[in-house]
Amino acid sequence: MAYSNSEVENKQVIFKGYIDGVPKQTDMELRFSNIQLNQQLPPQSILVKNLYLSCDPYMRGRMRDFHGSYIHPFLPSHALEGFGVSKVIASDNPNFKAGDFISGFTGWEEYSIISLTKAQQLRKIEPHHHIPLSFHLGLLGMPGLTAYAGFYEVCTPKSGEYVFVSAASGAVGQLVGQLAKLHGCYVVGSAGSKQKVELLKEKLGFDEAFNYKEELDLDAALKRYFPQGIDIYFDNVGGDMLDAALLNMNIHGRIAVCGMISQSTVSNPNGIRNLTSLIYKRIRMEGFLQSDYLHLFPKFLEQISSFYKQGKIVYFEDMNEGLESAPAAFVGLFHGKNVGKQVIRVAHE
């Protein structure tokens, strides 16, 4: 693809330095540089124009100077990186050509050069007029596979079981609840606002939902919504909600530990008090990463795309316009400001 003016401005969101608490907008800054669109690319790399960027809670962990995780920390004074949907501008890689749409790791910037190592993890997207491109960051992306693998593989559900989902209106939770309903389960979700609770009940098909901020006693709340106990708890928050759920699990219950956003901002996290429930109720509690289940991706993509096209599931995004809105949108995740999957539109396709 030829560009008449080969040098263009490249706006970037730069990570300033490692942090210890809740992410703040001031931990990031906008920087303007230039990039040559017709440059000689490093071997096997590609140059892309970023269209959509994903804001995800796991990114908080990459802002710490901690190297013992499954993913390395961000580099200070460099652009943040995360999942994105991009259009290939130029390619030295035989697997991609100019004009291709792709999803995978990219920079928080308008244009990125993606090296051979990272290009191996990219997926080509076939645009579909019924499915927005941005859905490849949510419903058909990492959060979608997290929900799919976590529910079917980790929770091993049976029709008629009682399912509880925390952070239920988020990128992962909203799909878990709908998959559970399609599987014949009774589903209750928790969220942090009246608007989100209404969304769960009226648009996402949950049997019940409650605002955890209005509950003084989470154990009592769960007993009210699950008088017969909980068979499956899909945990996105950890902390006090996990502690309360442990008291309300049924014998041979399953807990999928997907996220702990209540602890993401605490260097010295609170302990869990009710772990003895694991013993006398024979509960299986398992942490997991979607990357453990990449072999399921083709099946996941086919099944979830089909559900969406048939109208069996819906999916809500919270779309912010412009790269400059990215820091505030990311910080908002940790204050419950997003309703649905948080996405940044960097450019229109």
Side-chain angles (χ1 to χ4, degrees), residues 9 54 101 142-143 161 194 229 250 258 261 341:
E9 185 178 79
S54 178
F101 290 100
M142 178 273 287
E161 289 192 310
K194 184 170 181 281
N250 286 329
C258 174
I261 200 164
K341 168 80 193 105

Side-chain angles (χ1 to χ4, degrees), residues 60-291:
R60 160 68 187 94
R62 300 191 67 186
M63 300 176 101
R64 297 182 301 158
D65 189 10
F66 176 67
H67 295 263
S69 182
Y70 62 94
I71 189 166
H72 58 78
F74 292 133
L75 282 173
S77 301
H78 288 68
L80 282 86
E81 63 171 19
F83 289 103
V85 168
S86 316
K87 188 174 187 176
V88 178
I89 300 295
S91 173
D92 189 63
N93 187 310
N95 297 316
F96 302 100
K97 64 182 188 302
D100 283 347
F101 290 100
I102 56 165
S103 69
F105 269 119
T106 188
W108 273 34
E109 53 196 355
E110 292 175 298
Y111 296 90
S112 296
I113 293 174
I114 301 177
S115 66
L116 168 63
T117 327
K118 289 181 177 166
Q120 289 170 336
Q121 298 164 21
L122 297 174
R123 285 197 191 93
K124 233 185 267 192
I125 296 172
E126 297 302 328
H128 192 287
H129 60 280
H130 286 310
I131 297 176
L133 274 179
S134 56
F135 273 26
H136 290 273
L137 297 180
L139 179 67
L140 302 178
M142 178 273 287
L145 182 59
T146 301
Y148 181 89
F151 182 63
Y152 291 121
E153 302 295 314
V154 180
C155 295
T156 58
K158 294 188 279 293
S159 179
E161 289 192 310
Y162 293 88
V163 176
F164 175 46
V165 185
S166 54
S169 69
V172 175
Q174 59 174 305
L175 182 55
V176 173
Q178 292 179 91
L179 293 178
K181 285 302 298 173
L182 287 171
H183 203 72
C185 300
Y186 180 86
V187 187
V188 177
S190 66
S193 74
K194 184 170 181 281
Q195 178 194 9
K196 292 177 182 180
V197 168
E198 285 172 1
L199 182 76
L200 292 173
K201 293 200 286 192
E202 293 169 17
K203 298 282 198 299
L204 291 165
F206 282 61
D207 293 291
E208 275 294 348
F210 65 92
N211 182 350
Y212 70 89
K213 292 177 182 173
E214 293 178 352
E215 300 292 343
L216 297 175
D217 183 338
L218 293 174
D219 175 33
L222 291 178
K223 283 182 166 53
R224 194 164 75 243
Y225 286 100
F226 292 99
Q228 63 296 94
I230 300 168
D231 296 304
I232 289 170
Y233 173 37
F234 198 102
D235 183 23
N236 290 305
V237 299
D240 294 341
M241 191 66 86
L242 174 57
D243 242 349
L246 281 163
L247 295 175
N248 287 278
M249 298 299 293
N250 286 329
I251 289 173
H252 298 303
R254 285 86 71 209
I255 300 174
V257 184
C258 174
M260 297 216 164
I261 200 164
S262 73
Q263 305 295 304
S264 290
T265 53
V266 183
S267 300
N268 185 22
N270 298 324
I272 298 296
R273 295 183 299 274
N274 298 320
L275 287 175
T276 49
S277 297
L278 295 178
I279 304 166
Y280 64 84
K281 291 184 177 177
R282 285 85 86 197
I283 298 165
R284 177 165 58 79
M285 185 160 103
E286 182 178 344
F288 72 101
L289 295 175
Q290 59 91 31
S291 52

